[in-house]
Amino acid sequence: MGDELVLYVGEKNISSWSMRAFVALAAKNLPFEERTIPLREDKDRAQRRRVSPTGRVPVLHHGGRVIPDSLAIIEYLEETFPPPAHPALWPQDPGERAHARWLAAAMHSGFTKLRESMSFNLCFLPQPPRPTPEALQEAAEMLSYFQDALDRRKAPGPFLFGPFTAADALYAPAIVRLTAFRVPTAPAPKAPAYMEAVLSHPAVKRWMDAARALPPRETY
């Protein structure tokens, strides 16, 4: 199997799930080729189906292996490029690792109202629309997850479990949303510093700098 990693993504100011896989790869310090499939031009998913069994991005190609879905990509990277040779994507402590994994699962399958009302593409508009009450309620729940993890944090570092982990990568696009839509953070006093640390992480900044250079898209 060849060792070249190829990540297929959508436009950086539209595809929040692509961002998660990109950030994980970059945080692992792995060289990879990035190929963009314009989602706005692939309404029938024909281009995506040619590279992904799910017809969705992100999808990682590694030699003869094809791995769709951000969370599956993260697990594959951790198993294929494990620490200490490569930075860990999950905490070392079993309890913290379980905590990070359920946070990841919550992000992966939940917060649907937040996603709908605070769509990722809207974050790049000069004035995003007002989020719905249901979205704000889910945002408050997310912030409570942040506060709880930060209150229990044992290892040094500004992220949920000290060092940057997969949990931070998975929540990075949501943090972009919370920031762009100016969601109140008063009930979670440790959240603002954490969110700023995520947005300042080199892998996240690399994606966001490129996303901001693209024309804003009110719809797609």
Side-chain angles (χ1 to χ4, degrees):
M1 182 180 68
D3 59 1
E4 182 184 13
L5 292 161
V6 179
L7 182 69
Y8 290 86
V9 300
E11 297 96 321
K12 285 188 167 65
N13 59 351
I14 292 176
S15 184
S16 60
W17 284 109
S18 295
M19 178 182 178
R20 293 172 168 98
F22 176 98
V23 168
L25 270 162
K28 270 283 191 189
N29 295 331
L30 293 169
F32 64 97
E33 180 185 350
E34 178 189 345
R35 299 180 186 174
T36 300
I37 296 176
L39 305 184
R40 299 173 73 248
E41 301 170 12
D42 190 38
K43 297 296 187 183
D44 62 357
R45 298 183 185 272
Q47 294 184 55
R48 280 169 280 180
R49 288 192 179 97
R50 283 198 285 269
V51 298
S52 173
T54 65
R56 298 178 182 276
V57 288
V59 58
L60 179 69
H61 288 214
H62 186 208
R65 296 173 181 166
V66 178
I67 307 98
D69 186 90
S70 292
L71 193 51
I73 290 169
I74 285 170
E75 295 289 11
Y76 177 79
L77 294 175
E78 190 74 337
E79 292 175 355
T80 309
F81 305 97
H86 304 274
L89 288 177
W90 295 113
Q92 183 176 6
D93 176 80
E96 290 188 338
R97 190 161 61 249
H99 187 180
R101 282 195 162 116
W102 77 248
L103 283 175
M107 179 70 258
H108 199 256
S109 61
F111 303 109
T112 55
K113 298 299 183 183
L114 187 154
R115 298 176 202 269
E116 292 168 4
S117 180
M118 304 184 199
S119 183
F120 193 66
N121 59 296
L122 300 178
C123 295
F124 301 93
L125 299 179
Q127 184 61 50
R130 182 181 292 244
T132 64
E134 294 82 5
L136 289 172
Q137 186 175 1
E138 289 190 350
E141 180 183 7
M142 183 182 292
L143 287 165
S144 74
Y145 290 173
F146 294 168
Q147 184 67 31
D148 175 59
L150 295 167
D151 281 341
R152 294 199 269 166
R153 182 175 57 195
K154 299 173 184 176
F159 303 106
L160 291 176
F161 299 93
F164 191 83
T165 68
D168 305 301
L170 284 163
Y171 278 91
I175 288 169
V176 173
R177 289 174 161 107
L178 297 177
T179 304
F181 283 84
R182 297 180 174 84
V183 172
T185 59
K190 292 182 180 178
Y194 162 64
M195 291 163 60
E196 179 56 37
V198 170
L199 295 176
S200 299
H201 188 279
V204 175
K205 193 172 182 302
R206 184 172 150 195
W207 179 279
M208 290 299 295
D209 286 348
R212 291 192 180 98
L214 297 173
R217 300 298 183 187
E218 197 162 344
T219 60
Y220 67 94

